[in-house]
Amino acid sequence: MVDKNENELIKEFLRGNEIAFNELVRTHQKTIYWHARRMVGNHFDADEVTQQVIIVLFKKLKNFKFESSLSTWIYKITQSRSLNLLRQKKVKRFFNMDDSILQKLGAKEDILTNFEDKERIGKVQKLLEQLPIKQKEVFVFRQFEQLSYKEISEITGTSIGGLKANYFHAAKRIMEMMNDE
């Protein structure tokens, strides 16, 4: 399940070779960042989540059981940290705390160079922010990460049927909101 090269890097890191850990981070950092970015909606928070995930990996990699792919395990951690941050932000907004660092940009580095694409990505991000968290979660995993329902189920612990229903409702809602604009 784990790529042999990754497996060796994990073993090397567990033997004290931090260079092996750096290589694992280099391999997965962009994936962590962009998944967090799509979930939390801005660079500042996605960067924070990315740093949290890397710290968790450093501290908890010794607990990795090789029962799933390392990517699946990393997605679980990223998803958990992203959802925690979103919950914290809801609490802050509830208590009228200042939450002014919002940047609505893109989904891919090459898109960031094109203004029209930035605008479209910003609109999609605003639409995603209006979805209930479970719908947003499955929509991001399917559309942006291109994961199968089985993979999403492993990450979220949600049944495949529940995921399909959430995805259907998310897609339907986004289409409705796009038509309203």
Side-chain angles (χ1 to χ4, degrees), residues 44 88-89 91-102:
F44 180 77
Q88 290 171 356
K89 289 182 82 146
V91 169
K92 283 181 184 178
R93 278 192 291 270
F94 180 75
F95 289 107
N96 295 321
M97 295 182 94
D98 184 24
D99 197 20
S100 61
I101 309 172
L102 292 176

Side-chain angles (χ1 to χ4, degrees), residues 20-160:
F21 180 76
N22 292 340
E23 185 62 32
L24 287 170
V25 169
R26 266 192 297 280
T27 301
H28 294 280
Q29 189 169 9
K30 278 187 178 179
T31 303
I32 294 167
Y33 172 82
W34 284 111
H35 182 67
R37 175 72 178 257
R38 291 178 188 110
M39 287 303 299
V40 299
N42 67 76
H43 167 73
F44 180 77
D45 290 340
D47 195 46
E48 181 179 333
V49 168
T50 301
Q51 294 304 314
Q52 289 176 11
V53 171
I54 291 169
I55 291 167
V56 169
L57 288 175
F58 188 84
K59 291 179 178 178
K60 305 273 182 167
L61 198 55
K62 64 183 176 277
N63 299 332
F64 182 65
K65 296 179 182 162
F66 301 93
E67 294 172 354
S68 64
S69 71
L70 182 62
S71 295
T72 299
W73 193 62
I74 289 171
Y75 270 127
K76 283 183 182 181
I77 296 167
T78 306
Q79 188 69 8
S80 174
R81 295 295 168 152
S82 296
L83 293 174
N84 286 345
L85 187 78
L86 289 171
R87 285 185 200 104
Q88 290 171 356
K89 289 182 82 146
K90 276 187 179 181
V91 169
K92 283 181 184 178
R93 278 192 291 270
F94 180 75
F95 289 107
N96 295 321
M97 295 182 94
D98 184 24
D99 197 20
S100 61
I101 309 172
L102 292 176
Q103 300 171 353
K104 306 297 185 239
L105 293 173
K108 294 186 180 175
E109 289 177 38
D110 57 328
I111 288 177
L112 293 176
T113 61
N114 185 318
F115 179 75
E116 291 174 359
D117 286 338
K118 285 182 188 178
E119 192 175 308
R120 186 174 47 211
I121 297 289
K123 288 179 183 178
V124 170
Q125 189 62 47
K126 285 180 184 177
L127 296 175
L128 286 174
E129 289 173 3
Q130 296 178 43
L131 293 175
I133 194 69
K134 291 293 186 183
Q135 291 177 13
K136 178 180 180 178
E137 177 180 67
V138 70
F139 190 83
V140 166
F141 275 132
R142 289 289 293 167
Q143 288 299 310
F144 296 107
E145 310 300 341
Q146 299 174 346
L147 297 180
S148 69
Y149 285 114
K150 184 176 188 267
E151 292 169 315
I152 300 169
S153 178
E154 289 175 12
I155 294 166
T156 63
T158 304
S159 72
I160 291 174

Side-chain angles (χ1 to χ4, degrees), residues 3-13 15 20:
D3 181 286
K4 185 158 178 66
N5 188 32
E6 280 188 347
N7 193 351
E8 290 303 315
L9 288 172
I10 293 168
K11 288 178 182 177
E12 281 295 314
F13 170 65
R15 283 181 260 190

